[in-house]
Amino acid sequence: MLISFHHLLFVLLPAALTVRLYIKPRPATPDVANGITRFCLGIGKWVLLVDPLWHLATVVFRGGPESLGTSVAWMGFLGLLLSLHFAFTAAGDVITGLGGMFGFKVAEPVQEALTLRRFTQGKWLRLIALLLAVTVLGALLQTASFGDTWLHLKALFAPPPRTIATLLQQARVRTDFNVLTIFAALVCLIGLPYSRDFLREPAPWKAKIGFFIFTFAVAMLWTHAAPMS
């Protein structure tokens, strides 16, 4: 890959910020601070949640229906559902954060669309229905087969016979890291507010949380080969 995620994050972004400060040396400080924190949260979501969950879903859905057990099927399904949800919100955080840092405002309809609120209007049932529909489409793209997608969905409720292939796939998928990542993503989805709501009232401790998450994500980038990089 000619330009990696590392290049974008550690080379192109600082260079672009330098040019931006040269053009407009006195930016609105609250907007920049909010933008940096929002950007940090977005990068953290992508590296710590979206990337590993998408990799997990890819392993499950491209492993073939013959290697599925019920627990593996559920982990793949949840991994895909959660990765798609946080891909939207992380993209919204990164785009809005860059807007704050570079001095442009992201339109409200765009922000609402990226948090999915424009489609769900803040209602949980609509959010779940939308995520389920998007996840089924994502599963179809992963397997590239209507038949395999149906078998994967069927395995969620009707466990196939246990074979050596299913046992090997369970050992590959049901690791502590994958289970912990799914648990953390579910906690974030159910128990934490959207970044936009979290940062609506500025506070120093919120910026510290954003910086800590970003630092942890950077450490993960440098110590592990990210599956989607």
Side-chain angles (χ1 to χ4, degrees):
M1 196 171 178
L2 184 60
I3 299 179
S4 69
F5 189 69
H6 294 74
H7 290 109
L8 289 173
L9 191 58
F10 300 112
V11 179
L12 296 183
L13 179 61
L17 283 172
T18 302
V19 173
R20 188 259 187 224
L21 291 174
Y22 177 78
I23 296 173
K24 188 178 180 182
R26 293 185 179 179
T29 304
D31 291 341
V32 174
N34 188 281
I36 292 173
T37 306
R38 188 87 180 262
F39 178 82
C40 289
L41 292 174
I43 293 297
K45 286 180 186 177
W46 192 272
V47 174
L48 301 176
L49 296 178
V50 177
D51 199 0
L53 289 171
W54 179 264
H55 178 66
L56 168 63
T58 300
V59 169
V60 172
F61 281 97
R62 295 187 181 178
E66 67 279 353
S67 63
L68 284 177
T70 301
S71 61
V72 171
W74 271 108
M75 288 186 69
F77 187 82
L78 287 174
L80 184 57
L81 183 149
L82 293 167
S83 67
L84 291 173
H85 173 266
F86 285 108
F88 277 101
T89 59
D93 289 339
V94 170
I95 293 171
T96 305
L98 289 173
M101 289 189 285
F102 286 100
F104 65 87
K105 185 173 178 60
V106 179
E108 288 292 327
V110 175
Q111 294 192 47
E112 290 291 317
L114 289 172
T115 58
L116 303 179
R117 283 182 175 176
R118 190 172 186 181
F119 312 104
T120 64
Q121 298 179 354
K123 296 182 179 179
W124 269 99
L125 289 179
R126 291 188 180 184
L127 175 61
I128 293 172
L130 177 62
L131 289 177
L132 289 175
V134 173
T135 303
V136 171
L137 291 176
L140 183 59
L141 291 174
Q142 286 273 21
T143 61
S145 167
F146 285 102
D148 284 356
T149 300
W150 166 247
L151 291 174
H152 276 79
L153 297 177
K154 183 181 177 181
L156 296 173
F157 305 100
R162 293 172 66 89
T163 63
I164 294 178
T166 61
L167 294 176
L168 289 175
Q169 186 72 318
Q170 284 182 8
R172 186 182 183 189
V173 171
R174 286 166 55 180
T175 64
D176 291 342
F177 176 76
N178 288 335
V179 173
L180 180 62
T181 304
I182 289 178
F183 177 77
L186 287 172
V187 170
C188 292
L189 174 64
I190 297 171
L192 297 182
Y194 287 107
S195 302
R196 183 183 180 188
D197 297 332
F198 176 67
L199 298 175
R200 198 177 300 276
E201 295 293 333
W205 64 270
K206 296 180 180 180
K208 293 177 182 178
I209 290 176
F211 181 73
F212 172 79
I213 293 173
F214 178 78
T215 303
F216 187 52
V218 169
M220 290 290 289
L221 274 178
W222 284 105
T223 55
H224 296 83
M228 292 176 65
S229 298

